[in-house]
């Protein structure tokens, strides 16, 4: 437990993945760090509920194996990623259609191979006809081979407008790219900056969609466990901050040389009035148990027709068997909005999976009103993390609204603090295992 006179070089407020990432960068550079978290657990929105042997993510953001921060953040060496099958399944007109992503994360040639395979399809799909699909594969190939800095430098539009300005057929945009980006960005209307959308598609084209084995909470728990003992203190609510101290409700004042705010945007603005609070996308995740898996493969299923409340769904126990007890299937579905009527959800899922949902059991409904910070244009992908010497801020509201963005913002904030301290940062990079 903290003592009232406790001192640290840096106090980090918030034990989400951004704050924990920053803590690793600081401690590896020899800077004494303490992380204070008001909740009784680490991770913030990356939490997992346990119900009858099931592990249920509250927000369920999708990851991709191409996220560099998952490889470069110390403490994640033991993280195991469970990948979906390559590409996604798109449901349209009562049928499932496979859309394949580039097979190689390093070479565009994989995307061109996918384009040729798509071009051999005998009939039109939500991706368009064979020629349209080949054009889509070539576009993904170019995107996979483009440096992210060039993507950031592109003219900025709302993503919904930019998709139609890229020369791709309208059917391909509405039947594949729009539902895919809505899933990746948690933005049903695609008001997101086209630069952020391009980065999301770039990550998709270079990797595999995936989930952390064991649930979303595993990622922050690994980060926390790999820090020096006593670094992370949960159940400590910070009520005020300055450049040289934080005040807590439970333990009084903690002195320090610098403070790093790693809370969500609203909590940060409450501690530092004047910080901008963005608008948010709300997300509802519904979890169902079924006696049998309605899909035989670990695929992400998108609704191209937008015929019901569910934006995307998956048999999560096919992707990660550790999330369900033996002999039962876990189906997790995402609604990009408030909780809908349960009967409408089950009817939509029955249509998407082509099976009866009468025997499905509702396990949990998790609604997060402020789940993902909105990124409308103009959006600064490198929002300042240094407010002044001794005061820093990080989180998914400072970069992109993704796990990758949160981790990266934590690294940027730690680097800014180390620069002010005159300390050279020490970074580590390791290989991240991926489950077969």
């Amino acid at each position: 437990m903290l003592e009232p006179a406790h001192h640290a070089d840096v106090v980090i407020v918030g034990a989400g993945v951004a704050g924990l990432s920053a803590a690793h960068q600081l401690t590896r550079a020899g800077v004494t760090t303490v992380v204070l978290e008001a909740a009784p657990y680490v991770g913030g929105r990356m939490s997992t509920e346990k119900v009858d042997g099931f592990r249920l993510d509250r927000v369920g953001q999708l990851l991709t194996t191409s996220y560099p921060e998952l490889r470069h953040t110390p403490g994640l060496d033991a993280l195991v990623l469970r990948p979906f099958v390559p590409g996604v399944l798109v449901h349209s007109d009562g049928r499932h259609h496979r859309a394949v992503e580039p097979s190689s994360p390093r070479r565009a040639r994989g995307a061109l191979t996918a384009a040729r395979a798509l071009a051999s399809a005998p009939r039109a799909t939500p991706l368009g006809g064979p020629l349209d699909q080949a054009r889509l594969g070539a576009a993904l190939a170019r995107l996979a081979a483009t440096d992210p800095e060039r993507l950031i430098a592109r003219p900025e539009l709302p993503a919904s407008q930019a998709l139609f300005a890229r020369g791709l057929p309208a059917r391909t945009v509405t039947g594949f790219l729009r539902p895919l980006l809505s899933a990746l960005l948690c933005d049903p209307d695609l008001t997101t900056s086209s630069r952020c959308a391009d980065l999301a598609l770039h990550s998709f084209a270079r990797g595999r969609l995936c989930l952390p084995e064991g649930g979303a909470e595993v990622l922050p728990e690994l980060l926390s466990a790999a820090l020096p003992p006593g670094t992370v203190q949960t159940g400590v609510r910070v009520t005020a901050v300055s450049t040289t101290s934080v005040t807590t409700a439970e333990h009084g004042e903690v002195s320090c040389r610098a403070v790093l705010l790693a809370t969500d945007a609203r909590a940060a603005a409450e501690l530092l009035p004047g910080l901008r609070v963005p608008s948010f996308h709300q997300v509802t995740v519904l979890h169902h148990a079924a006696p049998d898996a309605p899909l035989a493969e670990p695929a992400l299923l998108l609704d191209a027709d937008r015929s019901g409340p569910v934006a995307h769904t998956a048999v999560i126990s096919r992707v990660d068997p550790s999330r369900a007890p033996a002999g039962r299937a876990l189906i997790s579905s995402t609604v990009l909005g408030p909780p809908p009527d349960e009967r409408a959800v089950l009817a939509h899922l029955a249509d998407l999976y082509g099976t009866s949902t009468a025997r499905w059991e509702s396990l949990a409904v998790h609604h997060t009103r402020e789940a993902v910070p909105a990124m409308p244009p103009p959006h600064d992908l490198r929002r300042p993390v240094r407010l002044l010497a001794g005061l820093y801020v990080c989180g998914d509201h400072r970069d992109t609204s993704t796990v990758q963005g949160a981790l990266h913002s934590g690294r940027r904030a730690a680097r800014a603090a180390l620069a002010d301290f005159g300390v050279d940062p020490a970074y580590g990079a390791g290989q991240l295992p991926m489950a077969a």
Side-chain angles (χ1 to χ4, degrees):
M1 297 295 292
L2 290 169
E3 296 295 333
H6 184 84
H7 173 84
D9 289 327
V10 178
V11 172
I12 298 175
V13 183
V17 295
L20 295 171
S21 169
H24 272 280
Q25 308 298 341
L26 293 167
T27 57
R28 284 167 66 89
V31 175
T32 305
T33 305
V34 63
V35 182
L36 305 181
E37 169 57 54
Y41 55 86
V42 301
R45 295 188 298 272
M46 292 194 72
S47 61
T48 304
E49 183 182 14
K50 287 84 171 176
V51 177
D52 296 334
F54 292 91
R55 301 177 71 85
L56 314 175
D57 286 352
R58 292 185 176 274
V59 175
Q61 281 183 292
L62 298 167
L63 307 182
T64 174
T65 57
S66 62
Y67 280 169
E69 292 298 324
L70 292 179
R71 298 188 300 273
H72 297 158
T73 301
L76 293 181
D77 297 341
L79 179 66
V80 176
L81 298 178
R82 287 285 181 175
F84 291 84
V85 294
V88 296
L89 285 181
V90 180
H91 183 271
S92 180
D93 296 328
R95 293 169 53 89
H96 290 163
H97 309 269
R98 178 166 301 286
V100 181
E101 69 202 89
S103 59
S104 170
R106 295 183 178 87
R107 295 175 298 169
R109 185 169 61 187
L112 295 175
T113 301
R116 288 192 289 270
L118 288 170
S120 66
R123 58 184 296 171
T125 73
L127 285 74
L131 179 59
D132 297 333
Q133 296 172 51
R135 291 169 64 186
L136 172 63
L140 288 176
R142 290 192 298 271
L143 199 62
T146 302
D147 186 271
E149 293 301 323
R150 291 184 60 190
L151 298 178
I152 294 172
R154 284 181 171 180
E156 193 174 18
L157 293 169
S160 58
Q161 296 180 27
L163 287 177
F164 288 100
R166 299 287 163 81
L168 290 171
R171 182 177 177 85
T172 304
V173 172
T174 58
F176 172 63
L177 288 176
R178 188 179 188 99
L180 174 63
L181 277 175
S182 295
L184 297 178
L185 301 170
C186 297
D187 177 6
D189 299 320
L190 292 188
T191 57
T192 298
S193 161
S194 57
R195 294 173 180 173
C196 301
D198 283 344
L199 289 174
L201 287 176
H202 177 269
S203 295
F204 171 81
R206 291 178 64 86
R208 295 264 298 273
L209 295 177
C210 61
L211 299 171
E213 183 179 75
E217 69 176 12
V218 170
L219 197 154
E221 287 181 349
L222 285 173
L223 288 174
S224 177
L227 288 167
T231 298
V232 180
Q233 302 285 338
T234 58
V236 180
R237 183 168 61 90
V238 173
T239 58
V241 300
S242 71
T243 57
T244 57
S245 69
V246 301
T247 302
T248 70
E250 295 79 9
H251 305 289
E253 186 174 283
V254 180
S255 62
C256 56
R257 295 173 59 194
V259 173
L260 196 161
L261 284 182
T263 65
D264 61 75
R266 190 170 300 281
E270 290 173 358
L271 290 171
L272 285 178
L275 281 183
R276 182 178 71 86
V277 179
S279 57
F280 294 86
H281 299 304
Q282 54 182 319
V283 172
T284 302
V285 181
L286 302 99
H287 300 280
H288 292 91
D292 301 298
L295 268 184
E297 57 184 344
L300 183 70
L301 178 57
L302 307 177
D303 181 16
D305 299 333
R306 293 196 283 181
S307 57
V310 175
H312 58 90
T313 181
V315 183
I316 296 297
S317 52
R318 289 287 192 195
V319 184
D320 178 8
S322 73
R323 300 196 185 204
R328 303 192 72 187
L330 171 63
I331 299 93
S332 297
S333 309
T334 298
V335 173
L336 301 178
D341 180 76
E342 174 73 9
R343 291 171 298 181
V345 170
L346 287 175
H348 193 197
L349 290 174
D351 181 51
L352 291 175
Y353 285 106
T355 188
S356 172
T357 56
R359 297 174 61 196
W360 289 19
E361 173 192 353
S362 177
L363 296 172
V365 177
H366 294 143
H367 174 234
T368 307
R369 182 176 295 275
E370 297 185 347
V372 179
M375 300 181 289
H379 181 75
D380 185 359
L381 289 162
R382 302 284 192 274
R383 291 192 67 196
V385 291
R386 181 186 187 273
L387 304 181
L388 64 151
L391 191 58
Y392 313 88
V393 61
C394 64
D396 59 2
H397 50 95
R398 311 309 288 185
D399 275 67
T400 58
S401 302
T402 61
V403 174
Q404 160 82 0
L407 291 169
H408 186 247
S409 74
R411 183 153 65 97
R412 286 202 298 129
R415 191 171 186 173
L418 291 174
D420 286 341
F421 289 168
V423 176
D424 290 331
Y427 299 113
Q431 295 300 313
L432 187 68
M434 186 173 70

